[in-house]
Amino acid sequence: MVAFAAATITGTWNVKLDYQGQGGNATLVLRQDGDKLTGDYSGPRGDAEVTGTIDGRKIELELDTPDSEIFYHGRLSTDGTRIDGTYDFSGQRAGTFVATKPSDH
């Protein structure tokens, strides 16, 4: 039996967003230092700095765009190549997202 090993999520992630049936795409560039995450976001809401945490497979991200704070709550796949979860705009409107890490080959 193979146990889940703590994977680094440092790198570029392609994000597909869904909000009430409307899709969008974004890019996250994340850097991991222990359980702390930092990085950059580029997407439909503009560009923003990202801060967050990782605890096992649970990921929490926060970004401040020019017009709102956006919170991402996700779970990393066991192979470390996908994050599924929800996002919300300051606790008011919510949607879902899937982030995938392109393969290196």
Side-chain angles (χ1 to χ4, degrees):
M1 182 167 139
V2 176
F4 174 75
T8 180
I9 65 167
T10 294
T12 301
W13 293 81
N14 299 321
V15 183
K16 292 202 180 292
L17 305 163
D18 182 54
Y19 175 71
Q20 296 181 345
Q22 296 182 354
N25 295 304
T27 302
L28 280 170
V29 179
L30 296 174
R31 293 174 291 283
Q32 181 178 348
D33 182 11
D35 64 351
K36 303 287 187 234
L37 302 172
T38 57
D40 301 293
Y41 167 92
S42 180
R45 309 296 276 188
D47 296 339
E49 290 185 9
V50 176
T51 58
T53 59
I54 182 168
D55 181 7
R57 293 179 29 217
K58 180 181 173 184
I59 295 172
E60 301 287 334
L61 300 173
E62 178 180 344
L63 45 128
D64 292 315
T65 66
D67 59 349
S68 65
E69 286 183 313
I70 305 174
F71 300 93
Y72 282 77
H73 315 279
R75 187 156 185 86
L76 183 65
S77 64
T78 55
D79 66 1
T81 63
R82 181 179 168 118
I83 305 168
D84 291 278
T86 61
Y87 66 96
D88 66 78
F89 300 93
S90 302
Q92 296 177 17
R93 297 173 291 152
T96 60
F97 77 94
V98 174
T100 55
K101 194 172 188 181
S103 68
D104 294 332
H105 12 299

Coordinates of all heavy atoms in Angstrom, one line a residue:
M1 N 0.8 -1.2 0.0 CA 0.0 0.0 0.0 C 0.9 1.2 0.0 O 1.8 1.3 0.8 CB -0.9 0.0 1.2 CG -1.8 1.1 1.3 SD -3.1 0.8 2.6 CE -3.2 2.4 3.3
V2 N 0.6 2.2 -0.9 CA 1.3 3.4 -1.0 C 0.6 4.5 -0.3 O -0.6 4.8 -0.5 CB 1.6 3.8 -2.5 CG1 2.3 5.1 -2.6 CG2 2.3 2.7 -3.2
A3 N 1.3 5.2 0.7 CA 0.7 6.3 1.4 C 0.9 7.6 0.6 O 1.8 7.7 -0.2 CB 1.3 6.4 2.8
F4 N 0.0 8.5 0.8 CA 0.1 9.8 0.2 C 1.3 10.5 0.7 O 1.5 10.7 1.9 CB -1.2 10.7 0.4 CG -1.1 12.1 -0.1 CD1 -1.2 12.3 -1.5 CD2 -0.8 13.1 0.7 CE1 -1.1 13.6 -2.0 CE2 -0.7 14.4 0.2 CZ -0.8 14.6 -1.1
A5 N 2.2 10.9 -0.2 CA 3.4 11.6 0.2 C 3.1 13.1 0.0 O 2.5 13.5 -0.9 CB 4.6 11.2 -0.6
A6 N 3.6 13.9 0.9 CA 3.5 15.4 0.8 C 4.1 15.8 -0.5 O 5.3 15.7 -0.7 CB 4.0 16.1 2.0
A7 N 3.3 16.3 -1.4 CA 3.8 16.8 -2.7 C 4.0 18.3 -2.7 O 3.2 19.0 -2.0 CB 2.9 16.4 -3.8
T8 N 4.9 18.8 -3.4 CA 5.0 20.2 -3.5 C 4.1 20.7 -4.6 O 3.9 20.0 -5.6 CB 6.5 20.7 -3.8 OG1 6.5 22.1 -3.9 CG2 7.0 20.1 -5.1
I9 N 3.4 21.8 -4.4 CA 2.5 22.3 -5.4 C 3.1 23.5 -6.1 O 2.5 24.2 -6.8 CB 1.1 22.6 -4.9 CG1 1.1 23.7 -3.8 CG2 0.5 21.3 -4.3 CD1 -0.3 24.2 -3.5
T10 N 4.4 23.7 -5.9 CA 5.1 24.8 -6.6 C 5.0 24.6 -8.1 O 5.2 23.5 -8.5 CB 6.6 24.8 -6.1 OG1 6.7 25.2 -4.7 CG2 7.4 25.8 -6.9
G11 N 4.7 25.7 -8.8 CA 4.6 25.6 -10.2 C 3.4 26.3 -10.8 O 2.7 27.0 -10.1
T12 N 3.2 26.1 -12.1 CA 2.1 26.8 -12.8 C 0.9 25.8 -12.8 O 1.1 24.6 -13.1 CB 2.6 27.1 -14.2 OG1 3.7 28.0 -14.1 CG2 1.4 27.8 -15.0
W13 N -0.3 26.4 -12.5 CA -1.5 25.7 -12.6 C -2.5 26.3 -13.5 O -2.7 27.5 -13.5 CB -2.1 25.6 -11.2 CG -1.3 24.8 -10.2 CD1 -0.2 25.3 -9.5 CD2 -1.5 23.5 -9.8 NE1 0.3 24.2 -8.7 CE2 -0.5 23.1 -8.9 CE3 -2.5 22.5 -10.1 CZ2 -0.5 21.9 -8.3 CZ3 -2.4 21.3 -9.5 CH2 -1.4 21.0 -8.6
N14 N -3.1 25.5 -14.4 CA -4.2 26.0 -15.3 C -5.5 25.8 -14.6 O -5.8 24.7 -14.2 CB -4.1 25.3 -16.6 CG -2.8 25.5 -17.3 OD1 -2.2 26.5 -17.3 ND2 -2.3 24.4 -17.9
V15 N -6.2 26.9 -14.4 CA -7.5 26.9 -13.6 C -8.7 27.0 -14.5 O -8.7 28.0 -15.3 CB -7.5 27.9 -12.5 CG1 -8.7 27.9 -11.7 CG2 -6.2 27.9 -11.7
K16 N -9.7 26.1 -14.4 CA -10.9 26.3 -15.1 C -12.0 26.7 -14.0 O -12.1 25.9 -13.1 CB -11.3 25.0 -15.8 CG -10.4 24.7 -17.0 CD -11.1 23.7 -18.0 CE -10.2 23.4 -19.1 NZ -9.9 24.5 -20.0
L17 N -12.6 27.8 -14.3 CA -13.6 28.3 -13.3 C -15.0 28.1 -13.8 O -15.3 28.1 -15.0 CB -13.4 29.8 -13.1 CG -12.0 30.2 -12.7 CD1 -11.8 31.7 -13.0 CD2 -11.7 29.9 -11.3
D18 N -15.9 27.8 -12.9 CA -17.4 27.7 -13.3 C -18.1 28.5 -12.2 O -18.0 28.3 -11.0 CB -17.8 26.3 -13.3 CG -19.3 26.2 -13.7 OD1 -19.7 26.7 -14.7 OD2 -20.1 25.6 -12.9
Y19 N -18.9 29.5 -12.7 CA -19.8 30.3 -11.9 C -21.2 30.3 -12.5 O -21.4 30.9 -13.6 CB -19.3 31.7 -11.7 CG -20.2 32.6 -10.9 CD1 -20.4 32.4 -9.5 CD2 -20.9 33.6 -11.5 CE1 -21.3 33.2 -8.8 CE2 -21.8 34.4 -10.8 CZ -22.0 34.2 -9.5 OH -22.8 35.0 -8.8
Q20 N -22.1 29.6 -12.0 CA -23.5 29.5 -12.5 C -23.5 29.2 -14.0 O -24.2 29.8 -14.7 CB -24.3 30.7 -12.2 CG -24.4 31.0 -10.7 CD -25.2 32.2 -10.3 OE1 -25.4 33.1 -11.2 NE2 -25.6 32.3 -9.1
G21 N -22.7 28.2 -14.4 CA -22.7 27.7 -15.8 C -21.9 28.5 -16.7 O -21.7 28.2 -17.9
Q22 N -21.3 29.6 -16.2 CA -20.4 30.4 -17.0 C -18.9 30.0 -16.7 O -18.6 30.0 -15.5 CB -20.6 31.9 -16.8 CG -22.0 32.4 -17.2 CD -22.1 33.9 -17.0 OE1 -21.3 34.5 -16.4 NE2 -23.3 34.4 -17.4
G23 N -18.2 29.8 -17.7 CA -16.8 29.3 -17.5 C -15.8 30.4 -17.7 O -16.1 31.5 -18.2
G24 N -14.6 30.2 -17.2 CA -13.5 31.1 -17.4 C -12.2 30.4 -17.1 O -12.2 29.2 -16.6
N25 N -11.1 31.0 -17.5 CA -9.8 30.4 -17.3 C -8.9 31.4 -16.5 O -9.0 32.6 -16.7 CB -9.2 30.0 -18.6 CG -9.9 29.0 -19.3 OD1 -10.2 27.9 -18.8 ND2 -10.3 29.2 -20.5
A26 N -8.0 30.8 -15.7 CA -7.1 31.6 -15.0 C -5.8 30.8 -14.9 O -5.7 29.6 -15.2 CB -7.6 31.9 -13.6
T27 N -4.7 31.5 -14.5 CA -3.4 30.8 -14.2 C -3.0 31.2 -12.8 O -3.0 32.3 -12.4 CB -2.4 31.3 -15.3 OG1 -2.8 31.0 -16.6 CG2 -1.0 30.6 -15.0
L28 N -2.5 30.2 -12.1 CA -1.9 30.4 -10.8 C -0.5 29.9 -10.9 O -0.2 28.8 -11.4 CB -2.6 29.5 -9.7 CG -3.9 29.9 -9.1 CD1 -4.5 28.8 -8.3 CD2 -3.7 31.2 -8.3
V29 N 0.4 30.7 -10.4 CA 1.8 30.4 -10.3 C 2.1 30.3 -8.8 O 2.1 31.4 -8.1 CB 2.8 31.3 -11.0 CG1 4.2 30.9 -10.8 CG2 2.4 31.4 -12.5
L30 N 2.3 29.1 -8.2 CA 2.4 29.0 -6.8 C 3.8 28.6 -6.3 O 4.5 27.9 -7.1 CB 1.4 27.9 -6.3 CG -0.1 28.2 -6.5 CD1 -0.9 27.0 -6.1 CD2 -0.5 29.4 -5.6
R31 N 4.2 29.1 -5.2 CA 5.4 28.8 -4.5 C 5.1 28.2 -3.1 O 4.4 28.9 -2.4 CB 6.4 30.0 -4.5 CG 6.8 30.4 -5.8 CD 7.6 31.7 -5.8 NE 6.8 32.9 -5.5 CZ 6.0 33.6 -6.3 NH1 5.8 33.1 -7.5 NH2 5.4 34.6 -5.9
Q32 N 5.6 27.1 -2.8 CA 5.4 26.5 -1.5 C 6.6 26.5 -0.6 O 7.7 26.2 -1.1 CB 5.0 25.0 -1.7 CG 4.6 24.3 -0.4 CD 4.2 22.9 -0.6 OE1 3.9 22.5 -1.7 NE2 4.1 22.1 0.5
D33 N 6.5 27.0 0.6 CA 7.6 27.0 1.6 C 7.0 26.3 2.8 O 6.3 27.0 3.6 CB 8.1 28.4 1.8 CG 9.2 28.4 2.8 OD1 9.8 27.3 3.2 OD2 9.6 29.5 3.3
G34 N 7.2 25.0 3.0 CA 6.5 24.3 4.1 C 5.0 24.3 3.9 O 4.6 23.8 2.9
D35 N 4.3 24.8 4.9 CA 2.8 24.8 4.7 C 2.3 26.2 4.2 O 1.1 26.4 4.1 CB 2.1 24.5 6.0 CG 2.4 25.4 7.2 OD1 3.3 26.3 7.0 OD2 1.8 25.3 8.2
K36 N 3.2 27.1 3.9 CA 2.8 28.4 3.4 C 2.9 28.5 1.9 O 3.8 27.9 1.2 CB 3.8 29.5 3.9 CG 3.9 29.5 5.4 CD 2.6 30.1 6.0 CE 2.8 30.3 7.5 NZ 1.7 29.7 8.3
L37 N 1.9 29.1 1.3 CA 1.9 29.3 -0.2 C 1.9 30.8 -0.5 O 1.2 31.6 0.1 CB 0.6 28.6 -0.7 CG 0.4 27.2 -0.5 CD1 -1.0 26.7 -0.9 CD2 1.5 26.4 -1.2
T38 N 2.6 31.1 -1.6 CA 2.5 32.5 -2.1 C 2.5 32.3 -3.6 O 2.8 31.2 -4.2 CB 3.8 33.3 -1.7 OG1 4.9 32.7 -2.1 CG2 3.8 33.6 -0.2
G39 N 2.2 33.4 -4.3 CA 2.2 33.3 -5.8 C 1.5 34.4 -6.5 O 1.3 35.5 -5.9
D40 N 1.2 34.1 -7.7 CA 0.6 35.1 -8.6 C -0.6 34.5 -9.3 O -0.6 33.3 -9.7 CB 1.6 35.6 -9.6 CG 2.8 36.3 -9.0 OD1 2.6 37.3 -8.4 OD2 3.9 35.7 -9.1
Y41 N -1.7 35.3 -9.5 CA -2.9 34.9 -10.2 C -3.1 35.8 -11.4 O -2.8 37.0 -11.3 CB -4.1 35.1 -9.2 CG -5.4 35.0 -9.9 CD1 -6.1 33.8 -10.0 CD2 -6.1 36.2 -10.4 CE1 -7.4 33.7 -10.5 CE2 -7.3 36.1 -10.9 CZ -8.0 34.9 -11.0 OH -9.2 34.8 -11.6
S42 N -3.5 35.2 -12.5 CA -3.9 36.0 -13.7 C -5.2 35.4 -14.2 O -5.2 34.2 -14.5 CB -2.8 36.0 -14.7 OG -3.2 36.7 -15.8
G43 N -6.2 36.2 -14.3 CA -7.5 35.7 -14.8 C -8.5 36.7 -15.1 O -8.2 37.9 -15.2
P44 N -9.8 36.3 -15.1 CA -10.9 37.2 -15.5 C -11.0 38.4 -14.6 O -11.5 39.5 -15.0 CB -12.1 36.4 -15.5 CG -11.7 35.0 -15.4 CD -10.3 35.0 -14.9
R45 N -10.6 38.3 -13.3 CA -10.7 39.4 -12.4 C -9.4 40.3 -12.3 O -9.3 41.1 -11.5 CB -11.0 38.9 -11.0 CG -12.2 37.9 -10.9 CD -13.5 38.6 -11.2 NE -14.0 39.3 -10.1 CZ -15.3 39.8 -10.1 NH1 -16.0 39.7 -11.2 NH2 -15.7 40.4 -9.1
G46 N -8.5 40.0 -13.3 CA -7.3 40.8 -13.3 C -6.1 40.0 -12.7 O -6.2 38.8 -12.5
D47 N -5.0 40.7 -12.3 CA -3.9 40.0 -11.7 C -3.9 40.3 -10.2 O -4.3 41.4 -9.8 CB -2.6 40.6 -12.4 CG -2.5 40.3 -13.8 OD1 -3.1 39.3 -14.3 OD2 -1.7 41.0 -14.5
A48 N -3.3 39.4 -9.5 CA -3.3 39.5 -8.0 C -2.2 38.7 -7.4 O -1.8 37.7 -8.0 CB -4.7 39.1 -7.4
E49 N -1.8 39.1 -6.2 CA -0.9 38.2 -5.5 C -1.7 37.2 -4.7 O -2.8 37.5 -4.3 CB -0.1 39.1 -4.5 CG 1.0 39.9 -5.2 CD 1.9 40.7 -4.2 OE1 1.8 40.4 -3.0 OE2 2.6 41.6 -4.7
V50 N -1.1 36.1 -4.5 CA -1.8 35.0 -3.8 C -1.1 34.6 -2.5 O 0.2 34.6 -2.5 CB -1.8 33.7 -4.7 CG1 -2.5 32.5 -4.0 CG2 -2.6 34.0 -6.0
T51 N -1.8 34.4 -1.4 CA -1.3 33.9 -0.2 C -2.1 32.7 0.2 O -3.3 32.6 -0.2 CB -1.2 34.9 0.9 OG1 -2.5 35.4 1.2 CG2 -0.3 36.1 0.6
G52 N -1.6 31.8 1.0 CA -2.4 30.6 1.4 C -1.6 29.6 2.2 O -0.5 29.9 2.6
T53 N -2.3 28.5 2.4 CA -1.7 27.4 3.2 C -2.1 26.1 2.6 O -3.0 26.0 1.8 CB -2.2 27.4 4.7 OG1 -3.6 27.2 4.6 CG2 -1.8 28.7 5.4
I54 N -1.2 25.1 2.9 CA -1.5 23.7 2.5 C -1.4 22.9 3.8 O -0.4 23.0 4.5 CB -0.6 23.2 1.4 CG1 -1.0 21.8 1.0 CG2 0.8 23.3 1.7 CD1 -0.4 21.3 -0.3
D55 N -2.4 22.0 4.0 CA -2.3 21.1 5.2 C -2.7 19.8 4.7 O -3.9 19.5 4.5 CB -3.3 21.7 6.3 CG -3.4 20.8 7.5 OD1 -2.5 19.9 7.7 OD2 -4.2 21.1 8.4
G56 N -1.7 18.9 4.5 CA -2.0 17.6 3.9 C -2.4 17.8 2.5 O -1.6 18.4 1.7
R57 N -3.6 17.5 2.1 CA -4.1 17.8 0.8 C -5.1 19.0 0.7 O -5.5 19.3 -0.3 CB -4.8 16.5 0.3 CG -3.8 15.4 0.1 CD -4.3 14.1 -0.4 NE -5.5 14.1 -1.3 CZ -6.4 13.2 -1.2 NH1 -6.4 12.2 -0.4 NH2 -7.5 13.3 -2.0
K58 N -5.4 19.6 1.9 CA -6.3 20.7 1.9 C -5.5 22.0 1.6 O -4.5 22.3 2.2 CB -6.9 20.8 3.3 CG -7.8 21.9 3.5 CD -8.4 21.9 5.0 CE -9.2 23.2 5.2 NZ -9.6 23.2 6.6
I59 N -6.1 22.8 0.7 CA -5.4 24.0 0.2 C -6.4 25.2 0.4 O -7.6 25.1 0.0 CB -5.0 23.9 -1.3 CG1 -4.0 22.8 -1.4 CG2 -4.6 25.2 -1.8 CD1 -3.7 22.5 -2.8
E60 N -5.9 26.2 1.0 CA -6.7 27.5 1.2 C -5.9 28.6 0.5 O -4.7 28.8 0.9 CB -6.9 27.8 2.7 CG -7.6 26.7 3.4 CD -9.1 26.6 3.1 OE1 -9.7 27.6 2.7 OE2 -9.7 25.5 3.3
L61 N -6.5 29.3 -0.4 CA -5.8 30.5 -1.0 C -6.7 31.7 -0.9 O -7.9 31.6 -0.9 CB -5.6 30.2 -2.5 CG -4.8 29.0 -2.9 CD1 -4.8 28.7 -4.4 CD2 -3.3 29.1 -2.4
E62 N -6.0 32.8 -0.8 CA -6.7 34.1 -0.8 C -6.0 35.1 -1.8 O -4.8 35.1 -1.9 CB -6.6 34.7 0.6 CG -7.2 36.1 0.7 CD -7.1 36.7 2.1 OE1 -6.8 35.9 3.1 OE2 -7.3 37.9 2.2
L63 N -6.8 35.8 -2.6 CA -6.2 36.8 -3.5 C -7.1 38.0 -3.4 O -8.3 38.0 -3.3 CB -6.0 36.2 -4.9 CG -7.1 35.5 -5.5 CD1 -7.5 36.0 -6.9 CD2 -6.6 34.0 -5.7
D64 N -6.4 39.1 -3.5 CA -7.0 40.4 -3.5 C -6.9 41.0 -4.9 O -5.9 41.4 -5.4 CB -6.4 41.4 -2.5 CG -6.6 41.0 -1.1 OD1 -7.7 40.7 -0.7 OD2 -5.6 41.0 -0.3
T65 N -8.1 41.0 -5.6 CA -8.1 41.6 -6.9 C -8.5 43.1 -6.8 O -8.9 43.5 -5.7 CB -9.1 40.9 -7.8 OG1 -10.4 41.0 -7.3 CG2 -8.8 39.4 -8.0
P66 N -8.4 43.8 -7.9 CA -8.8 45.3 -7.7 C -10.2 45.5 -7.2 O -10.5 46.5 -6.6 CB -8.6 45.8 -9.2 CG -7.6 44.9 -9.8 CD -7.9 43.5 -9.2
D67 N -11.1 44.6 -7.4 CA -12.5 44.8 -7.0 C -13.1 43.9 -5.9 O -14.2 44.0 -5.5 CB -13.4 44.8 -8.2 CG -13.4 43.5 -9.0 OD1 -12.6 42.7 -8.7 OD2 -14.3 43.4 -9.9
S68 N -12.3 42.9 -5.5 CA -12.8 42.0 -4.5 C -11.7 41.1 -3.9 O -10.7 40.9 -4.5 CB -14.0 41.1 -5.0 OG -13.5 40.2 -6.0
E69 N -12.0 40.4 -2.8 CA -11.2 39.4 -2.2 C -11.8 38.1 -2.7 O -13.0 37.9 -2.7 CB -11.2 39.4 -0.7 CG -10.4 40.5 -0.1 CD -10.4 40.4 1.4 OE1 -11.5 40.2 2.0 OE2 -9.3 40.5 2.0
I70 N -11.0 37.1 -3.1 CA -11.4 35.8 -3.6 C -10.8 34.8 -2.8 O -9.5 34.8 -2.6 CB -11.2 35.6 -5.1 CG1 -11.8 36.7 -5.9 CG2 -11.7 34.2 -5.5 CD1 -11.5 36.7 -7.4
F71 N -11.5 33.8 -2.3 CA -11.0 32.7 -1.4 C -11.2 31.4 -2.2 O -12.3 31.1 -2.6 CB -11.8 32.7 -0.1 CG -11.6 34.0 0.7 CD1 -12.5 35.0 0.6 CD2 -10.5 34.2 1.5 CE1 -12.4 36.2 1.3 CE2 -10.3 35.3 2.2 CZ -11.3 36.3 2.1
Y72 N -10.2 30.6 -2.3 CA -10.2 29.3 -2.9 C -10.1 28.3 -1.8 O -9.2 28.4 -1.0 CB -9.1 29.1 -3.9 CG -9.3 29.8 -5.2 CD1 -9.2 31.2 -5.4 CD2 -9.7 29.1 -6.4 CE1 -9.4 31.8 -6.6 CE2 -9.9 29.7 -7.6 CZ -9.7 31.1 -7.7 OH -9.9 31.7 -8.9
H73 N -10.9 27.3 -1.8 CA -10.9 26.2 -0.9 C -10.8 24.9 -1.7 O -11.8 24.6 -2.4 CB -12.1 26.1 0.0 CG -12.5 27.5 0.5 ND1 -11.9 28.1 1.6 CD2 -13.4 28.4 0.1 CE1 -12.4 29.3 1.8 NE2 -13.3 29.5 0.9
G74 N -9.7 24.2 -1.6 CA -9.5 23.0 -2.5 C -8.9 21.8 -1.9 O -8.4 21.9 -0.7
R75 N -8.9 20.7 -2.6 CA -8.2 19.5 -2.2 C -7.4 19.0 -3.3 O -7.8 18.8 -4.4 CB -9.3 18.5 -1.8 CG -8.8 17.2 -1.2 CD -9.9 16.6 -0.4 NE -9.4 15.4 0.3 CZ -8.8 15.4 1.5 NH1 -8.6 16.6 2.1 NH2 -8.4 14.3 2.1
L76 N -6.1 18.7 -3.0 CA -5.1 18.2 -3.9 C -5.3 16.7 -4.2 O -5.6 16.0 -3.2 CB -3.7 18.5 -3.3 CG -2.5 18.1 -4.2 CD1 -2.4 19.0 -5.4 CD2 -1.2 18.2 -3.3
S77 N -5.2 16.3 -5.4 CA -5.4 14.9 -5.7 C -4.2 14.2 -5.2 O -3.1 14.7 -4.9 CB -5.4 14.7 -7.3 OG -4.2 15.1 -7.9
T78 N -4.3 12.9 -5.0 CA -3.3 12.0 -4.4 C -2.0 12.0 -5.3 O -0.9 11.8 -4.7 CB -3.7 10.6 -4.2 OG1 -4.2 10.0 -5.4 CG2 -4.8 10.6 -3.1
D79 N -2.1 12.2 -6.6 CA -0.9 12.3 -7.4 C -0.3 13.7 -7.5 O 0.7 13.9 -8.2 CB -1.2 11.7 -8.8 CG -2.2 12.5 -9.6 OD1 -2.6 13.5 -9.2 OD2 -2.5 12.0 -10.8
G80 N -1.0 14.7 -6.9 CA -0.4 16.0 -6.9 C -0.5 16.8 -8.2 O 0.1 17.8 -8.3
T81 N -1.4 16.4 -9.1 CA -1.5 17.1 -10.4 C -2.9 17.8 -10.6 O -3.1 18.4 -11.6 CB -1.3 16.1 -11.5 OG1 -2.4 15.1 -11.5 CG2 0.0 15.4 -11.5
R82 N -3.7 17.8 -9.6 CA -5.1 18.4 -9.7 C -5.6 18.9 -8.4 O -5.4 18.3 -7.3 CB -6.0 17.3 -10.3 CG -7.4 17.8 -10.5 CD -8.2 16.6 -11.1 NE -9.6 17.0 -11.1 CZ -10.4 17.0 -12.1 NH1 -9.9 16.8 -13.3 NH2 -11.7 17.3 -12.0
I83 N -6.2 20.0 -8.4 CA -6.9 20.6 -7.2 C -8.3 20.8 -7.6 O -8.6 21.5 -8.6 CB -6.2 21.9 -6.8 CG1 -4.7 21.8 -6.5 CG2 -6.9 22.5 -5.5 CD1 -4.0 23.1 -6.4
D84 N -9.3 20.3 -6.8 CA -10.7 20.5 -7.0 C -11.2 21.3 -5.9 O -10.8 21.0 -4.7 CB -11.4 19.2 -7.1 CG -11.1 18.4 -8.4 OD1 -11.7 18.7 -9.4 OD2 -10.2 17.5 -8.3
G85 N -12.2 22.2 -6.1 CA -12.7 22.9 -5.0 C -13.7 24.0 -5.3 O -14.3 24.0 -6.4
T86 N -13.9 24.9 -4.4 CA -14.8 26.0 -4.6 C -14.1 27.3 -4.4 O -13.0 27.4 -3.8 CB -16.0 25.9 -3.6 OG1 -15.4 26.0 -2.2 CG2 -16.8 24.7 -3.7
Y87 N -14.7 28.4 -4.9 CA -14.1 29.7 -4.6 C -15.3 30.6 -4.3 O -16.4 30.4 -4.7 CB -13.3 30.2 -5.8 CG -14.0 30.5 -7.1 CD1 -14.5 31.7 -7.4 CD2 -14.3 29.4 -8.0 CE1 -15.2 32.0 -8.6 CE2 -15.0 29.7 -9.1 CZ -15.4 30.9 -9.4 OH -16.1 31.2 -10.6
D88 N -15.0 31.7 -3.6 CA -16.1 32.6 -3.3 C -15.5 34.1 -3.3 O -14.4 34.3 -3.0 CB -16.8 32.3 -2.0 CG -16.0 32.4 -0.8 OD1 -15.8 33.6 -0.3 OD2 -15.5 31.4 -0.3
F89 N -16.4 35.0 -3.6 CA -16.1 36.4 -3.6 C -16.5 37.0 -2.2 O -17.7 37.3 -2.0 CB -16.8 37.1 -4.7 CG -16.4 36.6 -6.1 CD1 -17.2 35.6 -6.7 CD2 -15.3 37.1 -6.7 CE1 -16.9 35.2 -7.9 CE2 -15.0 36.6 -8.0 CZ -15.8 35.6 -8.6
S90 N -15.5 37.1 -1.3 CA -15.8 37.7 0.0 C -17.0 37.1 0.7 O -17.8 37.7 1.4 CB -16.0 39.2 -0.1 OG -14.8 39.8 -0.7
G91 N -17.2 35.8 0.5 CA -18.3 35.0 1.1 C -19.6 35.3 0.6 O -20.6 34.9 1.1
Q92 N -19.7 36.0 -0.6 CA -21.0 36.3 -1.1 C -21.4 35.4 -2.3 O -22.4 34.7 -2.2 CB -21.0 37.8 -1.6 CG -20.9 38.7 -0.4 CD -20.8 40.1 -0.8 OE1 -21.2 40.5 -1.9 NE2 -20.3 41.0 0.1
R93 N -20.7 35.4 -3.4 CA -21.0 34.6 -4.6 C -20.0 33.5 -4.6 O -18.8 33.7 -4.3 CB -21.0 35.4 -5.9 CG -22.0 36.5 -5.9 CD -21.8 37.4 -7.1 NE -20.5 38.1 -6.9 CZ -19.8 38.6 -7.9 NH1 -20.1 38.3 -9.1 NH2 -18.7 39.2 -7.6
A94 N -20.4 32.3 -5.0 CA -19.5 31.1 -5.0 C -19.6 30.4 -6.4 O -20.6 30.4 -7.0 CB -19.8 30.2 -3.9
G95 N -18.5 29.7 -6.7 CA -18.4 28.9 -7.9 C -17.5 27.7 -7.6 O -17.0 27.5 -6.4
T96 N -17.2 26.9 -8.6 CA -16.3 25.8 -8.5 C -15.1 26.0 -9.4 O -15.1 26.8 -10.3 CB -17.0 24.5 -8.8 OG1 -17.4 24.5 -10.2 CG2 -18.2 24.2 -7.9
F97 N -14.0 25.2 -9.1 CA -12.8 25.3 -9.9 C -12.1 24.0 -10.0 O -12.3 23.1 -9.1 CB -11.9 26.4 -9.4 CG -11.0 26.0 -8.2 CD1 -9.8 25.4 -8.4 CD2 -11.5 26.2 -7.0 CE1 -9.0 25.1 -7.3 CE2 -10.8 25.8 -5.9 CZ -9.5 25.3 -6.0
V98 N -11.4 23.8 -11.0 CA -10.5 22.6 -11.2 C -9.2 23.2 -11.7 O -9.1 23.9 -12.7 CB -11.0 21.6 -12.2 CG1 -10.0 20.5 -12.4 CG2 -12.3 21.0 -11.7
A99 N -8.1 23.0 -11.0 CA -6.8 23.4 -11.4 C -5.9 22.2 -11.7 O -5.9 21.2 -11.0 CB -6.1 24.2 -10.3
T100 N -5.2 22.2 -12.8 CA -4.4 21.1 -13.2 C -3.0 21.6 -13.5 O -2.7 22.8 -13.9 CB -4.9 20.5 -14.5 OG1 -5.0 21.4 -15.6 CG2 -6.2 19.8 -14.3
K101 N -2.0 20.8 -13.1 CA -0.6 21.1 -13.2 C -0.1 20.4 -14.5 O -0.2 19.1 -14.5 CB 0.1 20.6 -12.0 CG 1.5 21.2 -11.9 CD 2.1 20.8 -10.5 CE 3.4 21.4 -10.3 NZ 4.0 21.0 -9.0
P102 N 0.3 21.1 -15.5 CA 0.8 20.5 -16.7 C 1.9 19.5 -16.4 O 2.7 19.8 -15.6 CB 1.2 21.6 -17.6 CG 0.6 22.8 -17.0 CD 0.4 22.6 -15.6
S103 N 2.0 18.4 -17.2 CA 3.0 17.5 -17.0 C 4.3 18.1 -17.5 O 4.3 19.0 -18.4 CB 2.7 16.1 -17.7 OG 2.8 16.3 -19.1
D104 N 5.4 17.6 -17.1 CA 6.7 18.1 -17.5 C 7.2 17.5 -18.7 O 8.3 17.7 -19.2 CB 7.8 17.9 -16.3 CG 7.5 18.7 -15.1 OD1 6.8 19.8 -15.3 OD2 7.8 18.3 -14.0
H105 N 6.5 16.5 -19.3 CA 6.9 15.9 -20.5 C 6.1 16.2 -21.7 O 5.1 16.8 -21.8 CB 7.1 14.4 -20.5 CG 6.5 13.7 -19.3 ND1 6.9 13.9 -18.0 CD2 5.6 12.7 -19.2 CE1 6.2 13.1 -17.2 NE2 5.5 12.4 -17.9

